[in-house]
Amino acid sequence: MTKFKPYWLGLIGAFMLCSFGLVNGYAVLFSDSRSYVRGGSIVLQKVLGVEEGVERWQPRQAKALIAGKVVAMPTGDRKDKVVANPVTGNRSIYYGILAAVGYLYSDFWLVVAVQAYVVATLIALVFVRGVNQAGVAPYVIVMALLSAFTSVGPTIAYIMPDIFAPVIILVTALVLVYWRKLQPGDRLFLFGACVFAAAVHPSHLLITGMAIGLGVIAQFFMARAQRKWRELAFLVAIFASASALMLAFNLATTRLTGEKPMMLPHITAHLVEMGPGMDYIDAYCPQAGFAVCKYKARLPVGWVDFMFSVDPDKGIFELADRETRRALSDEQVAFALAVFRHEPLQVIGGAARDVVLQLQRFSLDNMKVTPKARANFSTSFPPDVWAGIRASRIAQGDDFLDLMSRFNLIAVLGSLAVLGAALAGGRQRLQATPGLTWFCVLLFTGVVVNAVVCGALASPDPRFQARVIWLIPLAALVLIAEIVRGRRLAAGAATDPRR
């Protein structure tokens, strides 16, 4: 029974983690959710012959054209040109298939359940295999507190791959700290969960790579007997497998469409918003020859508007023709290097500032159904999905999400205080749980790595950090559970008449 304990505990924990979605009455949708579901629906149609669902999810530009909002498209049959735009590499087809199946057969509840079970089982592995908590009560209490007072519940209800970023961090910490305690089945579960998590978004693959890199560096500061080359090899295998999945998608797309998937120009948009990119454009455009130069008069704009706005006064990428989109995508690394050569200190300083800002921003504001979001959902999403969103609790007002954001902030600040006090108390307090200190440190490091990836390469956004910030309360709660257990064991030993 102990062999399977984490997996049946995961069922209990998953139900608790679904509580936010159940209270809300519907899954939480984001503007990008449409791209994932549509992409997955197309695969189901082409590969499995599933006819239902694809026609309900039109591309955003097609919707904008129907509404007469796009004015910067080339002449001719503009709707056909929009629909034929290259596939976006940022939108994983693997998560898209999960989202599409969840939509077609459960109105998204299957997606929420799968995400909840993966996270709940990973936490159960921490308790059962890692710190050897024999009782069920500590796990249930921790899951209840996480579900009620942190961002994990809302993130699990999100029809976005966001929850799989902390999955990577949890798997990394489990592998590096508790490898010898894991059973073969556990390692197989961790491998599959982390490969999928790393393959569902380029930023997740980058987080995995950075975790491996930091792990390799750490080996040279450790005693020979404590080095973890086998564990790092396991993580490298995860990285290689996820990379192979992404490469397979790119090759299949290139073969079917005749061109490789296109990456969104996050880097260009961020540099423009940050300042150095705009300085370079002012100094060297149009002579520099970059596609972004033609928008000099319209810039600067925020990175979200740069990529997604259909407002002719703000939008860049979303309104561009096919060739310009491809150029904006392909040139962003070259543009970044040119900007760095022009103003290296400003780029470094701006990136560092944005990482710090990203660490501080983890509210749930992105989930709010604002007037702008309502307009998007009502025109770009299927009527049945819009009806579900409209009837949800978060669509009735912002009070629920504002309350959850306050709870989340208090939980994070309180957890940092607990972790700081415990670690400052020295090793004696943690003697009963070897490795727990490193486990907490790795979770915190993962939160910082996430901020570096998202804050430096995209731009500070509450959604990016909210997806992982709950790992800090998790670390504090596991630590508290172990301190309580240690005191009970000590009290029991002191009163044992046989001693």
Side-chain angles (χ1 to χ4, degrees):
M1 192 66 174
T2 303
K3 180 178 180 180
F4 300 103
K5 185 176 181 179
Y7 303 97
W8 62 258
L9 273 182
L11 292 173
I12 299 173
F15 179 77
M16 300 172 77
L17 291 178
C18 288
S19 59
F20 179 90
L22 294 171
V23 171
N24 185 50
Y26 200 66
V28 181
L29 279 294
F30 190 59
S31 58
D32 293 349
S33 302
R34 175 195 55 253
S35 300
Y36 287 105
V37 182
R38 176 176 167 78
S41 298
I42 292 173
V43 171
L44 294 179
Q45 181 187 61
K46 300 295 184 182
V47 177
L48 301 179
V50 178
E51 296 295 336
E52 183 183 5
V54 178
E55 70 285 349
R56 304 180 196 173
W57 298 86
Q58 293 192 56
R60 185 176 185 182
Q61 282 191 327
K63 287 287 187 180
L65 286 168
I66 293 170
K69 296 179 180 179
V70 175
V71 298
M73 297 302 298
T75 58
D77 189 353
R78 298 192 299 172
K79 184 175 180 180
D80 288 343
K81 290 180 180 293
V82 174
V83 175
N85 268 329
V87 175
T88 302
N90 301 72
R91 306 290 179 249
S92 165
I93 199 63
Y94 304 110
Y95 187 82
I97 293 172
L98 172 63
V101 170
Y103 166 65
L104 290 174
Y105 301 108
S106 68
D107 203 16
F108 294 121
W109 289 111
L110 177 63
V111 184
V112 177
V114 168
Q115 295 179 164
Y117 182 74
V118 171
V119 172
T121 303
L122 289 175
I123 298 175
L125 285 169
V126 174
F127 274 84
V128 178
R129 305 283 194 253
V131 295
N132 297 319
Q133 283 272 5
V136 174
Y139 172 78
V140 172
I141 292 171
V142 166
M143 297 305 290
L145 292 172
L146 288 174
S147 301
F149 299 109
T150 75
S151 60
V152 65
T155 308
I156 280 171
Y158 229 172
I159 307 305
M160 291 287 291
D162 290 14
I163 193 61
F164 290 101
V167 164
I168 295 168
I169 298 169
L170 268 173
V171 170
T172 301
L174 273 164
V175 168
L176 291 178
V177 177
Y178 299 120
W179 174 264
R180 295 182 180 180
K181 295 183 177 183
L182 297 172
Q183 298 184 6
D186 302 332
R187 295 169 184 170
L188 182 62
F189 176 80
L190 294 179
F191 185 87
C194 200
V195 168
F196 181 81
V200 297
H201 198 274
S203 69
H204 295 187
L205 190 65
L206 186 55
I207 290 172
T208 308
M210 290 183 67
I212 294 170
L214 291 173
V216 170
I217 294 172
Q219 302 310 297
F220 297 100
F221 296 92
M222 300 171 68
R224 184 180 298 273
Q226 296 177 332
R227 291 177 181 173
K228 300 179 179 293
W229 295 115
R230 179 177 53 181
E231 292 86 337
L232 285 169
F234 183 82
L235 296 177
V236 169
I238 289 173
F239 181 85
S241 299
S243 300
L245 285 177
M246 297 183 78
L247 179 61
F249 167 67
N250 290 345
L251 292 175
T253 300
T254 303
R255 183 170 182 178
L256 290 173
T257 66
E259 56 183 328
K260 64 180 180 180
M262 179 175 55
M263 303 300 292
L264 295 174
H266 285 96
I267 299 175
T268 298
H270 186 204
L271 287 170
V272 169
E273 182 184 58
M274 186 193 297
M278 195 65 228
D279 293 342
Y280 178 87
I281 291 171
D282 287 336
Y284 295 104
C285 285
Q287 293 84 359
F290 289 113
V292 71
C293 288
K294 69 172 67 176
Y295 299 101
K296 180 177 180 178
R298 196 183 302 177
L299 297 173
V301 296
W303 74 279
V304 174
D305 286 331
F306 186 104
M307 291 188 297
F308 304 119
S309 178
V310 295
D311 184 338
D313 296 326
K314 297 180 180 179
I316 305 296
F317 186 75
E318 193 76 13
L319 301 182
D321 58 66
R322 181 189 187 90
E323 291 73 22
T324 303
R325 278 185 155 209
R326 172 63 68 183
L328 287 169
S329 175
D330 292 346
E331 76 182 17
Q332 56 182 324
V333 173
F335 178 74
L337 291 174
V339 173
F340 183 79
R341 287 192 295 267
H342 179 58
E343 293 183 340
L345 295 180
Q346 288 83 345
V347 171
I348 294 172
R353 178 199 63 214
D354 285 347
V355 169
V356 173
L357 290 175
Q358 183 64 82
L359 284 168
Q360 301 172 24
R361 296 179 181 176
F362 46 84
S363 72
L364 303 175
D365 289 350
N366 295 87
M367 295 184 179
K368 292 181 177 180
V369 187
T370 62
K372 183 177 179 180
R374 286 177 179 273
N376 180 31
F377 291 144
S378 63
T379 59
S380 300
F381 284 58
D384 58 320
V385 176
W386 168 229
I389 296 171
R390 193 169 60 245
S392 67
R393 184 166 182 174
I394 63 174
Q396 310 308 311
D398 296 338
D399 292 346
F400 185 36
L401 284 174
D402 286 340
L403 179 64
M404 286 297 300
S405 289
R406 286 194 290 271
F407 282 158
N408 189 42
L409 176 61
I410 294 170
V412 171
L413 295 178
S415 298
L416 287 172
V418 168
L419 290 170
L423 297 177
R427 294 184 179 180
Q428 291 184 350
R429 188 174 295 181
L430 303 173
Q431 281 181 347
T433 55
L436 182 55
T437 302
W438 278 114
F439 182 79
C440 294
V441 168
L442 286 173
L443 292 189
F444 183 81
T445 302
V447 172
V448 175
V449 167
N450 180 80
V452 171
V453 170
C454 298
L457 295 183
S459 196
D461 189 272
R463 187 187 119 230
F464 297 152
Q465 205 65 8
R467 66 184 187 176
V468 301
I469 200 67
W470 59 270
L471 293 173
I472 293 178
L474 171 63
L477 289 170
V478 174
L479 183 61
I480 291 171
E482 282 304 285
I483 291 174
V484 170
R485 188 181 71 150
R487 289 178 176 175
R488 286 179 177 175
L489 289 174
T495 58
D496 190 342
R498 294 172 297 181
R499 295 181 64 87

